[in-house]
Amino acid sequence: KGANNESRGALVVFEGLDRSGKTSQCGRLLSYLEGLGHSVELWRFPDRSTSVGQMISAYLTNKSQLDDHTIHLLFSANRWDKRSLMETKLKAGTTLIVDRYSYSGVAFSSAKGLDFEWCKAPEIGLIAPDLVVYLDIPAEKAAERGGYGGERYEQLEFQRKVAQHYKLLEDSSWEIVDACQTLEVVEKQVKEIVLEHVTTCQKGKALSSLWS
Ligand code: NYM
C-alpha cells in the first residue's frame, strides 16, 4: 500500500507486436510488485468483458465485419469506458499494469492505411501512461514463436507495418526492451525500469493526459 495519503499508483503500459511477450511479462511483474507489498492490478485492452469489448472480440475472431474506422473508434471507446475507474484507482494508490493501450490503437489502425492523426484524435484526453514498456522484437522473430493464432492482424506482413507505425509513437515515456532476450533477462530489466517509475509516482508526480 502507498506510503502516505498523497502517493498515487503508476500507470504502466506494455506495448509490442503480437507474441512479443507482453502477457507473460505483465503476469510476472504483477507477482513481483504484489510481493513487494504494492497495491497493483493487471488490466488489458481490449477489455473483452464489456459490451463494446464483445463487439471488438467478434471482429477480431472474424465473426463480424466492421469498417476500419468503426472498429478503431470501438477500441478507443473501450478505453474511455475505463477512464474514470482508472483515475480513481491511480489516485487511491493502486498501480495499474496495462497490457496494450492507445499506442496499439494507433499503430494497428494506421498500419491498415488510416490517417495517423485521425487515429490519434479519439485518444486525446485519456490518461497518459507514466511508463510505456515497448517489447521490441522483429516481426519475423515474433512469428517464429509458436506461430500466430487465427485472429485478425496476426500475419507477418501486417505486423511489419505495425512495427513501423509503433516507431512513430515513441516519446519520452517509452523504454525499449529487447524482447529477443530470454524471458528471465527481459523480466529482470522490466522490474528495474518499472520500480524506478513506481517510486517517482509515489513521490507525487502529477497525472497527465494523452497526447501531450
Ligand atoms: N488492437 C488492440 C487494436 O487493433 N487496437 C487496439 O486499440 C488494441 C488495444 O487487437 N492484435 C489489436 C492488437 C491485437 C488484438 O489484442 C488483440 P490481444 O492483446 O491479442 O488481446
Side-chain angles (χ1 to χ4, degrees), residues 5-132:
N5 291 332
E6 275 153 73
S7 83
R8 69 162 175 92
L11 179 56
V12 178
V13 166
F14 279 75
E15 290 283 3
L17 298 182
D18 287 292
R19 306 210 56 94
S20 57
K22 291 181 301 303
T23 305
S24 307
Q25 292 299 335
C26 285
R28 288 172 177 225
L29 180 64
L30 175 73
S31 318
Y32 173 68
L33 292 176
E34 279 174 346
L36 293 177
H38 288 273
S39 166
V40 55
E41 288 182 16
L42 178 52
W43 287 24
R44 69 177 308 138
F45 291 108
D47 176 345
R48 302 188 193 213
S49 72
T50 67
S51 54
V52 170
Q54 281 164 27
M55 293 174 73
I56 294 170
S57 186
Y59 173 81
L60 288 172
T61 54
N62 287 300
K63 293 192 184 88
S64 74
Q65 310 300 322
L66 292 169
D67 176 82
D68 290 343
H69 300 81
T70 308
I71 183 63
H72 180 76
L73 295 172
L74 289 178
F75 274 115
S76 185
N78 190 230
R79 285 182 281 279
W80 278 101
D81 274 345
K82 292 285 158 125
R83 190 204 175 286
S84 93
L85 183 61
M86 193 177 252
E87 183 172 351
T88 305
K89 295 266 180 188
L90 292 170
K91 287 186 170 164
T94 299
T95 284
L96 301 177
I97 301 169
V98 183
D99 189 344
R100 294 192 185 282
Y101 196 55
S102 303
Y103 309 89
S104 284
V106 177
F108 280 80
S109 291
S110 61
K112 290 168 158 179
L114 297 190
D115 180 77
F116 191 69
E117 294 303 324
W118 186 89
C119 290
K120 286 176 82 173
E123 310 295 321
I124 295 174
L126 288 172
I127 301 172
D130 295 297
L131 168 67
V132 176

